[in-house]
């Protein structure tokens, strides 16, 4: 009996594995078709100055205009996109549209997300500068969001790339700060314009159950202050969270409290 039960279970497991493998293959094929159809666009979420409330820039966030399931957020397909390398093609389609939007809207900066693997791909910086030239977007209005992993993967290379981009006016932001290795000793060696404090810490700021969030955010802000790096609180949803960030000296905020991601605002 036990044996029979065991076999049933492993058959069930195989069945699930097959179904998952099929789902991933379908998704990959879907993604390839969508790339040919240019079915991706950036949505834009405002980043505000916490003191004045003024919008200082926007983050471009990828959405897939899927025929039947769209618009899809990155979580739905970024895993397959990264495993297959297809995300890089998607990124270029989205960056192009984000740069075109920049040229139509003269206010503030636009930040784009770059995965570690994409950041370290051949000629990334050159291609980015080329696309800026092609679209006529102003390099000094562009920010790239990278994560700590991109810095630590190949530090000398990352440093060269960031210097090249900075030399042309493109600043770098460190995304999801606090969730990675947070090798603090590295920070002062890289030309980083701002740290984006991860939303998991911001969420804990008005929650008595998470006193460690306050301690962490305070430490991050002190560090950034010492190094002369600007700061952006991510995922700000309540006035109380915004107040705490302001009091602790965080200069910028982003989150549903100030505005949700929207398709091409102002167009
Ligand atoms: P991220 O760069 O950390 O972006 C912030 C995420 O938090 C976005 O999710 C945004 O919609 C969401 N968010 C903003 N404010 C709030 C808030 O107040 N509350 C909550 N709960 N969430 C908030 P989204 O758009 O689903 O993007 C997820 C991730 O996908 C991004 O995280 C980024 O790592 C990646 N991503 C987005 N666009 C691109 C892209 O063009 N290329 C690549 N390679 N990755 C991208
Ligand atoms: Mg980001
Ligand atoms: Mg983030
Ligand atoms: Mg994130």
């Amino acid at each position: 009996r036990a044996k029979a039960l065991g076999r049933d279970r492993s058959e069930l497991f195989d069945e699930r594995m097959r179904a998952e493998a099929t789902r991933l293959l379908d998704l990959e094929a879907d993604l390839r078709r969508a790339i040919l159809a240019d079915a991706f666009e950036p949505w834009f979420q405002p980043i505000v100055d916490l003191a004045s409330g003024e919008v200082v820039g926007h983050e471009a966030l990828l959405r897939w205009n899927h025929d039947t399931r769209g618009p899809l957020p990155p979580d739905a397909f970024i895993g397959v996109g990264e495993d297959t390398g297809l995300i890089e093609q998607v990124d270029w389609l989205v960056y192009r549209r984000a740069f075109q939007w920049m040229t139509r809207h003269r206010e503030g900066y636009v930040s784009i997300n770059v995965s570690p693997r994409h950041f370290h791909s051949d000629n990334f910086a050159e291609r980015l500068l080329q696309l800026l030239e092609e679209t006529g977007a102003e390099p000094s209005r562009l920010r790239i969001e990278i994560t700590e992993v991109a810095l630590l993967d190949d530090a000398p290379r990352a440093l060269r790339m960031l210097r090249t981009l900075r030399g042309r006016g493109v600043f770098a932001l460190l995304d999801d700060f606090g969730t990675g290795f947070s090798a603090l000793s590295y920070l002062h060696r890289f030309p980083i314009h701002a740290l984006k404090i991860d939303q998991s810490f911001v969420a804990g700021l008005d929650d008595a159950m998470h006193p460690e969030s306050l301690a962490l955010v305070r430490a991050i802000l002190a560090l950034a202050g010492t190094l002369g790096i600007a700061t952006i609180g991510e995922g700000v949803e309540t006035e109380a969270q915004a107040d705490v960030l302001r009091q602790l000296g965080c200069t910028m905020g982003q989150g549903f409290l100030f505005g949700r991601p929207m398709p091409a605002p102002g167009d």
Side-chain angles (χ1 to χ4, degrees):
R1 235 195 107 88
K3 220 174 169 185
L5 198 65
R7 197 171 59 234
D8 286 352
R9 277 202 184 135
S10 78
E11 275 166 12
L12 198 63
F13 183 70
D14 284 352
E15 192 58 41
R16 283 202 194 121
M17 293 283 284
R18 255 194 308 276
E20 178 61 5
T22 305
R23 190 187 71 82
L24 291 178
L25 282 172
D26 286 349
L27 186 58
E28 181 183 340
D30 228 11
L31 205 51
R32 287 184 193 278
R33 275 192 298 272
I35 288 167
L36 292 174
D38 195 7
F40 302 90
E41 66 174 338
W43 284 19
F44 297 88
Q45 185 179 32
I47 298 171
V48 306
D49 179 298
L50 281 174
S52 66
E54 187 194 349
V55 174
V56 292
H58 290 85
E59 177 174 8
L61 293 159
L62 157 66
R63 293 295 180 267
W64 176 359
N65 291 320
H66 192 280
D67 302 335
T68 52
R69 301 160 59 209
L72 290 180
D75 285 357
F77 59 92
I78 209 150
V80 169
E82 276 172 356
D83 291 347
T84 56
L86 290 172
I87 193 63
E88 292 171 27
Q89 296 176 52
V90 174
D91 277 349
W92 288 116
L93 296 175
V94 170
Y95 298 166
R96 176 180 294 276
R97 290 193 182 212
F99 294 0
Q100 288 166 342
W101 183 81
M102 274 168 76
T103 63
R104 293 194 298 277
H105 300 277
R106 303 250 149 236
E107 305 295 284
Y109 65 82
V110 167
S111 65
I112 56 169
N113 290 280
V114 188
S115 67
R117 173 170 159 176
H118 193 186
F119 182 69
H120 284 288
S121 65
D122 287 342
N123 304 319
F124 173 77
E126 291 73 19
R127 288 185 69 181
L128 195 70
L129 294 168
Q130 169 70 36
L131 187 60
L132 283 163
E133 210 166 290
E134 234 179 276
T135 54
E138 183 60 49
S140 64
R141 287 181 56 212
L142 179 68
R143 309 270 190 270
I144 59 167
E145 299 197 3
I146 56 173
T147 54
E148 292 161 85
V149 176
L151 298 184
L152 301 177
D153 258 6
D154 184 345
R157 191 167 191 278
L159 184 58
R160 277 199 307 277
M161 301 248 298
L162 291 180
R163 281 192 175 144
T164 300
L165 290 169
R166 179 79 164 237
R168 298 289 292 273
V170 180
F171 286 26
L173 315 181
L174 218 41
D175 206 354
D176 303 342
F177 192 76
T179 59
F181 298 98
S182 301
L184 301 183
S185 59
Y186 268 68
L187 211 48
H188 74 281
R189 292 194 221 151
F190 293 95
I192 296 295
H193 178 70
L195 301 180
K196 298 192 76 174
I197 302 170
D198 191 68
Q199 54 188 55
S200 58
F201 306 122
V202 173
L205 287 182
D206 58 356
D207 185 346
M209 298 294 284
H210 293 283
E212 74 285 0
S213 292
L214 186 63
L216 272 163
V217 171
R218 195 192 298 275
I220 292 171
L221 289 169
L223 173 78
T226 306
L227 297 175
I229 298 175
T231 44
I232 305 171
E234 290 194 271
V236 182
E237 295 186 351
T238 69
E239 281 295 351
Q241 291 164 358
D243 279 343
V244 176
L245 285 171
R246 237 178 251 121
Q247 279 159 26
L248 295 177
C250 185
T251 50
M252 289 169 278
Q254 177 182 355
F256 296 167
L257 177 68
F258 309 112
R260 293 191 174 248
M262 300 249 292
D267 272 1

